[in-house]
Amino acid sequence: MWKDKKVSVVLMTYAERDSIREVIEGFSELGFVDEVLVVNNNAADGTAEEVQKTDARQVFESSQGYGHAIRRGLVEASGDLIALVEPDGTFLPADLLKLLAYSDECDMVLGTRTTRELIWAGSNMGFFLKWGNWAVAKLVEILFNTSHLSDVGCTYRLLDRRLADYVVKNMRIGGSHAGPEIMLLTITSGARFVEVPVNYLPRVGRSSVTGSRLVAAMLGLRMVALILRFRIKHPRPLPRPSAFDGMESVPDGHR
């Protein structure tokens, strides 16, 4: 529990068999996480067995894709506060405290991996990925006149229950660029958000996305296209409402 609110941690897994057990145990040992939920998205052989050795709850999502796994996790999680994390060993469970510290003031807390002092030696955050993520994040910041943004692709983030329900109703993307869609849904809903630096460690194993510069570049272009489509649908910044959850949906056309 965190200030009388139940905390769920959702781990979306596909190629994290060798790291997921340690990540689950790291979150469980924090003492304030009430639930660790693993969304098995057609994960590598042996992953389910590793999860079964822990106290995590596991659900299986057959529709392949990061967005599909996130949506299933948000639906299944029972917490008032829901942390989304990739279980590849790149994030520290203890950094959840940083995100929770802002949960009273914000509906979403975004991590950022672009703070030089918190990028560990050997992590996959070289010049190309660091400044690519920064540039696309700044595009969002400029086009939507938002709070400070410096990392469009960080997969460590915290949502409150109301925003999670709103995202579930409105997200359309099932693939790897679902993360920016959630960010854009948050911004255009009028929800409150802030970005905080988190540690970024070397990955256990190889990423199917950022492990290839070409694949990462193609993903970046898809993100930019998504952002521009969102901007067309929202030609002016929305006035901040007193409660974003009164908004039922976001117009179609941002897929």
Side-chain angles (χ1 to χ4, degrees):
M1 300 287 284
W2 177 265
K3 298 184 178 180
D4 297 322
K5 293 182 178 180
K6 184 176 180 179
V7 178
S8 294
V9 172
V10 177
L11 307 173
M12 299 74 63
T13 184
Y14 174 67
E16 293 83 19
R17 179 188 59 201
D18 296 332
S19 58
I20 193 165
R21 182 179 178 185
E22 183 177 353
V23 172
I24 292 170
E25 291 172 347
F27 279 105
S28 297
E29 290 168 1
L30 290 175
F32 53 81
V33 172
D34 301 278
E35 171 187 51
V36 178
L37 173 67
V38 174
V39 181
N40 187 318
N41 191 210
N42 306 306
D45 291 344
T47 303
E49 289 75 15
E50 288 297 303
V51 176
Q52 289 167 3
K53 297 174 184 177
T54 72
D55 59 2
R57 179 163 65 94
Q58 184 170 202
V59 297
F60 294 85
E61 175 54 57
S62 59
S63 297
Q64 187 62 51
Y66 181 62
H68 292 301
I70 288 177
R71 191 177 191 280
R72 180 67 181 275
L74 293 177
V75 169
E76 294 280 352
S78 60
D80 305 300
L81 298 168
I82 304 169
L84 301 174
V85 196
E86 281 194 290
D88 56 6
T90 56
F91 296 111
L92 291 179
D95 274 349
L96 181 55
L97 280 168
K98 298 178 184 178
L99 278 60
L100 288 167
Y102 287 91
S103 61
D104 285 345
E105 290 82 21
C106 296
D107 307 298
M108 174 181 275
V109 186
L110 299 158
T112 174
R113 306 160 296 170
T114 58
T115 303
R116 184 179 64 177
E117 288 75 12
L118 300 184
I119 300 173
W120 290 39
S123 63
N124 187 23
M125 190 52 66
F127 183 91
F128 178 76
L129 284 177
K130 176 181 177 179
W131 293 108
N133 275 285
W134 180 89
V136 179
K138 288 304 174 186
L139 177 66
V140 175
E141 182 179 335
I142 292 168
L143 291 181
F144 292 90
N145 191 27
T146 71
S147 300
H148 172 81
L149 291 171
S150 63
D151 186 358
V152 75
C154 185
T155 54
Y156 203 171
R157 50 185 60 177
L158 181 76
L159 298 80
D160 74 9
R161 180 78 263 174
R162 296 179 307 152
L163 180 58
D165 291 342
Y166 177 84
V167 167
V168 166
K169 291 178 182 178
N170 292 283
M171 69 181 297
R172 301 290 182 268
I173 292 173
S176 298
H177 56 309
E181 182 193 29
I182 294 172
M183 178 187 289
L184 293 165
L185 285 171
T186 300
I187 292 169
T188 56
S189 73
R192 300 165 299 168
F193 69 93
V194 70
E195 185 185 72
V196 298
V198 294
N199 286 276
Y200 195 58
L201 285 66
R203 190 189 198 281
V204 176
R206 181 178 173 84
S207 170
S208 60
V209 178
T210 57
S212 165
R213 181 170 292 190
L214 177 60
V215 174
M218 294 301 294
L219 177 60
L221 292 175
R222 295 183 74 183
M223 289 178 178
V224 170
L226 171 68
I227 292 163
L228 295 177
R229 288 197 297 272
F230 248 90
R231 187 65 180 87
I232 291 170
K233 290 294 180 180
H234 301 279
R236 293 179 298 277
L238 290 176
R240 186 172 303 281
S242 57
F244 73 88
D245 57 335
M247 302 173 64
E248 292 297 329
S249 64
V250 169
D252 290 334
H254 55 268
R255 280 175 281 181

